[in-house]
Amino acid sequence: MANEQLKRFPDQTSVREIMNHVVGVDPINVELVEASADFGEFEQRFLSLKNDGTKPADMDALLVEQVHTALKDIPASLKLDPRFWEYLSAERFRDFVWSRWWAGNPIPDAAAAQDEKPSKWRRFECRRTMNGMSRNALARLFWAGELLADGSDYSLARACFEKQDIHQQVFDQLFGLHDAAAKAFVRACAGRKGEEIQKLGIRLNEYCSTIAVDFLNDKEIEALLK
């Protein structure tokens, strides 16, 4: 597979602008950036899962490695650029977003789209915050890999998507800014139910707000979760 030059939207977009772009009412212009990536493995994997009838909710865990591998070497400034993620979601890989978040239903026409709530389109949107990145359909996969992968081992990144509560705690709480704490949390969530995961996340977040976790090793962080 060959690298392709990456693009982005020239400006931050609103949910309504994204909706109009996706349904073809008012397309947003794009601009080239000085970076490239090879999406071949991601596209092949996605099409295979789609053709095999994989449940949409299972796709995140099964595609996190391919998305992160494709983009891990792009400039940090681009990784943090909401315009880039909105372009990828609303233009380059809109078919993936629809398959993942709309259960494979076809993209509506302009008239039908107007009747949908704006919140339904936020998987195309991105904002320059942890929470904002974690809501975008593709940025959420990349940042899970960036935070939780250990070299070529993506087991924790995949585990982050086994339950929505795990992903939500990692990217909504302060401890998500610390990779060792986030990894310890995901490991500690194995076998736990939703309410237990939420309580565990709150507890770790309280620790991270009162002690300097940067000075703790992995075992010391894990001990906080027992």
Side-chain angles (χ1 to χ4, degrees):
M1 296 295 177
N3 279 14
E4 64 180 73
Q5 189 167 3
L6 299 176
K7 303 173 184 178
R8 67 184 175 193
F9 291 149
D11 301 299
Q12 186 79 62
T13 58
S14 67
V15 174
R16 183 61 61 181
E17 287 173 321
I18 287 176
M19 184 194 75
N20 288 338
H21 175 84
V22 170
V23 300
V25 173
D26 189 11
I28 301 170
N29 292 326
V30 299
E31 61 183 22
L32 295 172
V33 297
E34 294 184 0
S36 62
D38 182 352
F39 293 114
E41 290 189 11
F42 166 61
E43 291 184 298
Q44 289 180 356
R45 180 67 165 154
F46 164 56
L47 289 176
S48 176
L49 295 173
K50 184 178 179 180
N51 292 335
D52 289 346
T54 299
K55 294 180 180 179
D58 294 336
M59 286 188 176
D60 288 339
L62 297 172
L63 289 169
V64 60
E65 179 176 353
Q66 287 74 22
V67 172
H68 182 255
T69 299
L71 297 169
K72 64 181 180 180
D73 295 324
I74 65 174
S77 59
L78 194 57
K79 294 175 183 178
L80 295 168
D81 192 338
R83 299 171 298 172
F84 170 63
W85 296 111
E86 289 178 343
Y87 161 75
L88 284 185
S89 298
E91 175 63 31
R92 181 66 175 84
F93 295 114
R94 72 175 71 175
D95 288 342
F96 160 69
V97 180
W98 276 96
S99 293
R100 166 61 183 92
W101 293 101
W102 278 264
N105 292 325
I107 296 176
D109 58 29
Q114 297 293 331
D115 294 331
E116 294 187 357
K117 296 180 179 179
S119 60
K120 191 168 184 178
W121 297 87
R122 295 197 184 281
R123 293 298 175 182
F124 295 103
E125 184 188 40
C126 189
R127 291 294 179 263
R128 198 188 293 267
T129 62
M130 281 183 62
N131 182 274
M133 290 283 177
S134 72
R135 296 297 179 264
N136 178 271
L138 284 156
R140 70 199 303 270
L141 300 183
F142 173 81
W143 285 107
E146 188 82 341
L147 181 66
L148 299 167
D150 186 6
S152 60
D153 182 0
Y154 283 83
S155 58
L156 287 180
R158 288 191 287 270
C160 183
F161 292 106
E162 288 181 359
K163 293 184 175 69
Q164 177 61 27
D165 290 301
I166 300 177
H167 181 270
Q168 185 174 0
Q169 289 297 313
V170 170
F171 289 96
D172 282 357
Q173 302 282 16
L174 179 65
F175 70 79
L177 295 171
H178 190 281
D179 59 349
K183 290 176 181 178
F185 173 77
V186 175
R187 283 193 289 266
C189 286
R192 296 178 186 263
K193 297 181 179 180
E195 186 175 351
E196 292 178 289
I197 292 169
Q198 293 170 23
K199 289 180 178 179
L200 193 66
I202 293 171
R203 176 150 58 95
L204 181 56
N205 206 54
E206 290 175 346
Y207 282 129
C208 289
S209 65
T210 57
I211 62 177
V213 292
D214 288 327
F215 296 99
L216 301 181
N217 59 40
D218 291 357
K219 290 184 178 180
E220 290 171 327
I221 295 174
E222 290 177 4
L224 299 175
L225 296 169
K226 294 181 178 179

